Amino acid sequence: MAWQPEQEPLGQLVGYLRDSLSGHDRDAQKHATMMLSQAKSSPDFTNYLTYILCNLPSSTNLEPKDVHVVRSSAAISLKNSVKSTYRSIPQANQAYIRGSVLSCLEDPNVQIRSFAGNVITEIVQQGGVLGWPELLPELLALASNDQGNVSSEAQEGAMSALAKVCEDNKKALDKDYQGQRPLDVIIPKLLNITTNPNARVRALALTSINSFFPQKPRSLLASVDTLLARLFQLANDPSDDVRRNVCRSFTQLVDAKPDKILPHMQGLVDYTVTQQRNTDDAELALDAAEFWLCIGENDKLCRSLGPYLDKIVPTLLESMVYGEEDVLRLEGDADDADDDDRAEDLKPRFARSKTARAGINGHDSATGKQNGYEPGSNPKTEDDALSEGEIEEAEEDDDDGDPEDRWNLRKCSAAALDVLASVFHQPVFDITLPYLKENLRHRDWPNREAAVLAIGAVADGCLDVVIPHLPDLVPYLISLLQDPEPVVRQITCWSLGRYSSWASHLANPNDKKRFFEPMMDGILGRMLDKNKRVQEAAASAFANLEEKATKELTPYCQYIIPQFVRCFNTYKDKNMFILYDCVQTLAEHVGPALSRQDYIDALMPAIIQRWNKVSDQSRELFPLLECLSYVATALGDNFSNFAVPVFSRCIGIIHRNLEEYVMAMRNEALDKPDKDFLVTSLDLLSAIIQALYYEKSGELVSTSQPRFFDLLSFCMEDPNNDVRQSSYALLGDCAIHIFPHVQPFLPSLMPVLIQQLDLDNLTDEEADTSFNVINNACWACGEIAMKQEQGMVPYVEKLYERLFSIISNPGIPVSVNENAAIALGRLGVDCSEVLAPHLQEFAKLFLQIMEPVDDTDEKGHAFLGFNHTIQRNPQAMEDCLLDYFKATASFETNTFRSEKLYESFHQASQPD
């Protein structure tokens, strides 16, 4: 007999679900949330939720408007329960959920169908493809409607659910299960479904196919010819939704099968231009424009666009002009610099974790920031991959957010123009130039603005051909910084920033005075514009100028710093974030030049005043702490006057964050603290320890309460990779700068470090960030070895086991291999007797990894230890003498930084 609910608890649960989404009665909502939490302990909780979602009876006496609310609430709770507890749900109850939820796919309410799809895909994620073997055939049969007896609602519901299952389980569906891969059946079925009479079903079928392209599964690549034929059939589909997905498919094929795209290039260019000029559907136009972006970045295809530039470039330029709605929204933007920011204007901030210690040759995965648009990036989300209501808060935020922050046709077109300029150079500029002449001085500001955007977009790719025009263009652009329209001033800041590299490195001092100084002064001036958007654009442009000009800015600090101070006194909260970036970028590039006392006296009080204003719970701390890290490094020991309260506050933030995490782990009702507070605090502590003289930094560490290395030890074992990455960076810096303070704690720190080097701890989901942690741990290990000397003997065997497993693993990134090999070599400096028995095993790998590494002190230390190890076991080198002599020869004579290293090569090369 099928499971049936008891009426009393059913009625109670319905009431709690209704009240839990009530925005009118906070007390009822709070009580309902608490009761729902208690109800989770019932073994039949998920059955009740399923029943309410699929079979909510009319006898519950709900208002019609509440029925949908209750069913939706049940669906959300059911999905969350499946996600967190599916494996512990009794099998009979799992079967009840699976057997019931499919019926919701034909519900007349589209949102209920969508919620059912969310539950279905979550079950597959938690239970696996084989945990519900009937599902895929059932969904495919419903969506295909081969018998013609499936309702339109059921077809849409099934296809929507299938699209979610495909999106969320791409790898699982391409696995081999007893000789069969689900995709071998799914892909042909989806191709057939693209002919379904229902446009929504056709679009979702293409969405599902597109979701597999990044993995390039065999079954999809084998069906490319069939897919292309279907795409050409659907190219003029009356549904914009279908044509959007056709454009996305063509874009995906550029990367997956460029050879299949090339023969059809002329037709694809004409088709894409037509779709991009669709003024009725901005999203369709955007999907079309992304084709140029993708193909322009594809080395195999980009040149094939050459014959069609006269069609493509004008289309891109047209698409860069603001539309009528945007013009109405932006026109006459108010002078709002004195208005406080709304809470909703402040985006969530995330800390940028400290870059993993780069390999000696700079092999590093970190990417630098870019100002303006980022060519090739596409932050927009695929709305077909999200279900209605699944992420309601995020969708609401997107609707309420600043439209200027969204990826759109205008930005995509500018990015595509940038990419094409980088490929074709002069031909792109030759087509763009008449447009610039016609629009730069246009009476209508949207045309002026688009022309300035175009100038900035071609800056990198067309610089050589633009340079002859810059003596006229740059002064005119500088004049546009006074344009009455804030939007024009805003884009002009960005565009000028794109030419700052040229201006700042002009060889002729008169040229620099004529172009660079007015450019710098103009952007600096706009940092105090009356409009906050212009302030932000100017600050961003100035940070870009700092990146390009680097040390060329040193003579201008006397003008820059007072303007920064005025900005600190003027800016509201939102723009303060980009101001921190300006300060830290200046500190990074002018370095010790910033430590002039008059600069310190001007800048530091402004920063400290803000430091005192920002609370320990504010996310503004992230960029502020990062900024102070760069400033401390630039000031060196001159930062000591500010170090004590800053250091103490960082210790307090770390301690409190660790305590809150422990409490949250013990009590599920408590929120876990944000680990970004840990990351930025650890990085600032590291910068202070590097900046100050030993006596001062050592005193800060030794007087810390709680004890500094106790906190660091906890951070080294934190489950968050970014926290551990910064922790090992801090440990290595402590070993270099204040080793006597580290040494007493090594018995507790070294076992943690050794455990971190165990590759068995890696997970596929976090492999990249985990490698960054291991990288820093290897580096810290090497620095400790150089200071601890023979005191490392108790740890060498275990360290060798871990380090050898890293350098012998072909899947390890280059930088990690280099740092592991260097750490291994450094262990040999004073512990060669322990390493010598292993020499034959690791020598060849060590030499192969170290040969291409640049000559540095670290490499010298590693070879010094390696040579000491050879002297204790020279026979082990018989199989790799040639590698050894090649590595020796790779050292240039002037790189033997010490007589000791030179002598070690001489002794290791001598026969017994």
Side-chain angles (χ1 to χ4, degrees):
M1 182 178 175
W3 180 88
Q4 291 293 319
E6 296 180 18
Q7 291 305 306
E8 183 177 351
L10 175 65
Q12 291 175 337
L13 187 58
V14 166
Y16 297 146
L17 290 168
R18 178 196 60 210
D19 293 343
S20 69
L21 296 182
S22 171
H24 305 293
D25 190 335
R26 293 294 182 186
D27 291 337
Q29 185 180 36
K30 187 175 181 180
H31 176 71
T33 302
M34 181 181 68
M35 297 307 294
L36 286 173
S37 179
Q38 293 178 9
K40 291 178 182 178
S41 60
S42 168
D44 286 341
F45 178 63
T46 54
N47 280 18
Y48 277 95
L49 293 175
T50 305
Y51 186 86
I52 292 169
L53 169 62
C54 304
N55 308 289
L56 185 63
S58 57
S59 59
T60 52
N61 297 320
L62 288 171
E63 296 286 335
K65 63 181 179 61
D66 290 334
V67 171
H68 176 66
V69 170
V70 170
R71 295 181 71 194
S72 299
S73 181
I76 294 170
S77 296
L78 179 58
K79 179 196 169 182
N80 291 336
S81 294
V82 167
K83 184 175 183 177
S84 58
T85 65
Y86 187 72
R87 290 179 179 83
S88 62
I89 295 173
Q91 289 191 3
N93 292 7
Q94 290 182 7
Y96 177 74
I97 300 170
R98 295 195 300 266
S100 302
V101 74
L102 282 173
S103 66
C104 291
L105 295 179
E106 55 185 324
D107 196 277
N109 187 294
V110 64
Q111 196 167 29
I112 294 299
R113 297 199 299 268
S114 181
F115 281 136
N118 295 343
V119 175
I120 288 168
T121 189
E122 195 63 56
I123 292 172
V124 177
Q125 282 190 281
Q126 301 304 322
V129 173
L130 296 182
W132 196 352
E134 311 85 9
L135 174 66
L136 293 175
E138 180 74 15
L139 293 179
L140 287 168
L142 289 171
S144 299
N145 189 25
D146 291 333
Q147 303 301 317
N149 58 355
V150 181
S151 68
S152 180
E153 290 84 0
Q155 292 176 56
E156 286 188 29
M159 193 58 247
S160 176
L162 182 58
K164 291 168 185 171
V165 171
C166 290
E167 173 66 27
D168 294 340
N169 302 275
K170 293 186 284 285
K171 291 183 179 179
L173 293 174
D174 195 34
K175 284 185 178 178
D176 190 303
Y177 300 96
Q178 299 177 346
Q180 292 185 324
R181 294 175 184 268
L183 273 192
D184 292 342
V185 176
I186 293 173
I187 294 297
K189 287 284 190 181
L190 288 174
L191 287 169
N192 288 334
I193 296 171
T194 59
T195 64
N196 191 293
N198 185 314
R200 181 62 177 160
V201 174
R202 295 197 301 275
L204 285 169
L206 279 179
T207 297
S208 302
I209 293 171
N210 290 340
S211 69
F212 293 111
F213 268 111
Q215 279 69 43
K216 299 179 181 179
R218 179 191 63 191
S219 53
L220 178 55
L221 298 183
S223 304
V224 163
D225 289 335
T226 306
L227 173 61
L228 268 174
R230 291 289 159 79
L231 292 176
F232 293 138
Q233 292 170 10
L234 296 169
N236 294 310
D237 195 283
S239 165
D240 287 355
D241 197 10
V242 173
R243 296 202 308 282
R244 278 198 297 271
N245 281 283
V246 168
C247 290
R248 292 171 189 173
S249 294
F250 284 137
T251 300
Q252 296 277 15
L253 281 165
V254 169
D255 286 329
K257 276 288 188 179
D259 56 307
K260 297 292 185 180
I261 288 288
L262 191 57
H264 307 284
M265 190 57 70
Q266 182 173 352
L268 286 171
V269 167
D270 291 338
Y271 177 74
T272 305
V273 165
T274 300
Q275 301 308 311
Q276 185 173 342
R277 283 177 164 159
N278 185 320
T279 57
D280 296 327
D281 190 329
E283 189 176 354
L284 171 57
L286 172 57
D287 284 316
E290 284 176 345
F291 180 76
W292 314 124
L293 200 51
C294 188
I295 207 168
E297 294 174 335
N298 187 290
D299 293 337
K300 296 179 181 178
L301 290 180
C302 58
R303 289 286 169 186
S304 65
L305 294 181
Y308 314 108
L309 290 176
D310 58 339
K311 296 180 180 180
I312 299 169
V313 172
T315 304
L316 295 174
L317 293 169
E318 289 172 20
S319 300
M320 288 160 57
V321 182
Y322 275 112
E324 290 182 10
E325 289 186 10
D326 292 320
V327 170
L328 291 173
R329 174 174 54 83
L330 294 167
E331 201 157 35
D333 207 357
D335 290 344
D336 59 356
D338 295 330
D339 299 342
D340 289 332
D341 294 324
R342 300 176 304 165
E344 55 267 32
D345 292 333
L346 300 176
K347 299 178 189 175
R349 302 296 297 192
F350 302 97
R352 290 183 287 190
S353 63
K354 190 165 188 174
T355 302
R357 291 285 169 173
I360 302 305
N361 284 349
H363 299 289
D364 182 21
S365 60
T367 56
K369 64 181 181 297
Q370 287 187 330
N371 293 287
Y373 62 82
E374 295 186 26
S377 68
N378 179 3
K380 81 181 182 69
T381 56
E382 303 270 357
D383 63 349
D384 288 328
L386 299 178
S387 57
E388 304 99 45
E390 181 183 352
I391 317 178
E392 287 180 298
E393 291 183 359
E395 289 172 349
E396 288 169 6
D397 287 344
D398 190 60
D399 290 340
D400 294 340
D402 188 346
E404 290 298 286
D405 292 336
R406 299 175 195 159
W407 181 249
N408 54 35
L409 176 61
R410 177 176 169 277
K411 292 181 180 179
C412 181
S413 298
L417 182 62
D418 185 345
V419 170
L420 293 179
S422 299
V423 174
F424 296 102
H425 312 298
Q426 183 158 353
V428 170
F429 185 69
D430 289 343
I431 299 171
T432 305
L433 186 57
Y435 176 86
L436 297 179
K437 289 179 177 179
E438 181 181 346
N439 288 281
L440 267 175
R441 300 177 187 273
H442 202 286
R443 57 179 294 180
D444 295 331
W445 72 259
N447 296 74
R448 290 199 307 277
E449 195 274 348
V452 175
L453 174 59
I455 291 175
V458 301
D460 288 347
C462 299
L463 183 60
D464 290 341
V465 292
V466 177
I467 282 177
H469 301 272
L470 287 180
D472 295 323
L473 276 176
V474 168
Y476 180 65
L477 288 175
I478 292 172
S479 74
L480 285 180
L481 291 173
Q482 310 300 325
D483 194 278
E485 282 297 331
V487 186
V488 177
R489 300 199 300 274
Q490 182 180 346
I491 198 62
T492 303
C493 290
W494 174 81
S495 190
L496 279 171
R498 298 271 285 177
Y499 289 97
S500 57
S501 180
W502 165 79
S504 62
H505 293 286
L506 288 167
N508 188 319
N510 290 330
D511 288 341
K512 187 175 287 189
K513 195 172 189 67
R514 181 182 171 193
F515 298 114
F516 175 66
E517 291 183 6
M519 177 188 291
M520 180 188 67
D521 187 59
I523 297 173
L524 268 177
R526 286 305 99 202
M527 287 180 67
L528 284 175
D529 196 275
K530 293 297 184 181
N531 182 275
K532 287 192 282 192
R533 286 185 193 276
V534 180
Q535 290 179 357
E536 182 181 15
S540 179
F542 198 82
N544 191 31
L545 182 147
E546 291 171 323
E547 291 276 7
K548 302 292 178 60
T550 62
K551 293 187 182 299
E552 297 291 326
L553 284 180
T554 301
Y556 303 103
C557 284
Q558 57 185 311
Y559 310 110
I560 297 169
I561 290 173
Q563 186 73 338
F564 284 178
V565 172
R566 285 188 282 271
C567 290
F568 270 110
N569 293 330
T570 303
Y571 278 9
K572 303 304 179 184
D573 292 343
K574 182 181 178 183
N575 285 347
M576 198 65 71
F577 291 37
I578 189 65
L579 179 59
Y580 295 141
D581 193 39
C582 288
V583 173
Q584 76 179 48
T585 307
L586 182 69
E588 178 183 6
H589 291 294
V590 305
L594 200 64
S595 61
R596 260 178 45 176
Q597 193 59 50
D598 55 331
Y599 295 166
I600 296 172
D601 292 343
L603 181 62
M604 287 308 298
I607 297 177
I608 296 301
Q609 182 179 5
R610 190 68 189 182
W611 165 268
N612 291 330
K613 180 180 178 180
V614 176
S615 75
D616 286 355
Q617 290 73 40
S618 171
R619 298 180 71 87
E620 187 183 332
L621 264 184
F622 305 154
L624 176 52
L625 290 167
E626 186 178 7
C627 173
L628 277 169
S629 296
Y630 283 89
V631 170
T633 301
L635 298 189
D637 195 61
N638 287 324
F639 191 77
S640 59
N641 291 336
F642 316 98
V644 174
V646 172
F647 196 94
S648 176
R649 185 174 181 183
C650 287
I651 291 293
I653 291 170
I654 293 170
H655 182 217
R656 183 162 50 255
N657 194 284
L658 292 172
E659 283 189 328
E660 290 173 355
Y661 179 75
V662 171
M663 289 188 289
M665 293 302 292
R666 292 172 179 170
N667 185 351
E668 291 185 1
L670 297 176
D671 292 331
K672 292 180 182 178
D674 193 328
K675 295 300 180 69
D676 284 348
F677 289 103
L678 281 181
V679 173
T680 46
S681 296
L682 289 165
D683 291 347
L684 180 50
L685 291 178
S686 186
I688 293 172
I689 286 171
Q690 293 177 72
L692 304 189
Y693 293 150
Y694 165 78
E695 294 79 8
K696 296 175 183 176
S697 57
E699 183 179 1
L700 289 173
V701 168
S702 63
T703 58
S704 164
Q705 288 297 327
R707 294 196 308 179
F708 179 90
F709 288 105
D710 289 342
L711 294 179
L712 180 57
S713 179
F714 279 115
C715 292
M716 288 163 58
E717 295 186 273
D718 194 274
N720 182 283
N721 283 345
D722 289 338
V723 173
R724 296 202 310 282
Q725 179 180 331
S726 291
S727 299
Y728 284 103
L730 176 54
L731 176 63
D733 287 330
C734 289
I736 294 172
H737 297 281
I738 54 166
F739 184 74
H741 295 275
V742 182
Q743 196 169 30
F745 295 90
L746 288 180
S748 60
L749 295 174
M750 285 306 299
V752 179
L753 186 152
I754 292 169
Q755 182 62 29
Q756 179 60 66
L757 297 177
D758 188 350
L759 294 180
D760 290 340
N761 295 329
L762 288 176
T763 60
D764 290 341
E765 295 79 13
E766 298 182 322
D768 290 343
T769 54
S770 295
F771 283 134
N772 288 342
V773 180
I774 293 174
N775 209 23
N776 282 8
C778 289
W779 172 78
C781 174
E783 296 297 341
I784 292 170
M786 293 303 297
K787 295 295 181 69
Q788 181 68 349
E789 300 176 345
Q790 291 187 349
M792 290 295 286
V793 167
Y795 312 111
V796 172
E797 284 291 350
K798 288 185 178 179
L799 283 170
Y800 171 75
E801 178 185 339
R802 299 283 195 262
L803 294 171
F804 179 74
S805 71
I806 294 172
I807 66 172
S808 60
N809 189 320
I812 301 297
V814 173
S815 63
V816 182
N817 268 328
E818 290 177 357
N819 273 316
I822 288 170
L824 186 57
R826 285 174 141 187
L827 284 171
V829 173
D830 294 291
C831 305
S832 55
E833 70 280 4
V834 186
L835 284 182
H838 303 289
L839 182 59
Q840 187 172 12
E841 183 179 39
F842 77 83
K844 193 173 188 68
L845 283 169
F846 174 87
L847 292 167
Q848 289 171 346
I849 293 170
M850 295 300 295
E851 182 184 353
V853 172
D854 292 337
D855 296 339
T856 61
D857 286 339
E858 288 85 355
K859 182 176 180 178
H861 298 156
F863 268 99
L864 178 63
F866 187 69
N867 290 339
H868 286 180
T869 308
I870 292 174
Q871 293 172 43
R872 291 185 178 273
N873 187 7
Q875 296 82 5
M877 296 295 293
E878 290 179 359
D879 295 335
C880 54
L881 282 176
L882 181 60
D883 295 289
Y884 179 67
F885 291 130
K886 283 172 63 179
T888 304
S890 71
F891 270 93
E892 297 180 15
T893 304
N894 61 0
T895 62
F896 288 104
R897 287 173 165 75
S898 69
E899 186 66 28
K900 186 185 294 185
L901 175 59
Y902 179 80
E903 183 63 25
S904 76
F905 273 107
H906 178 72
Q907 292 177 359
S909 303
Q910 298 303 309
D912 291 342

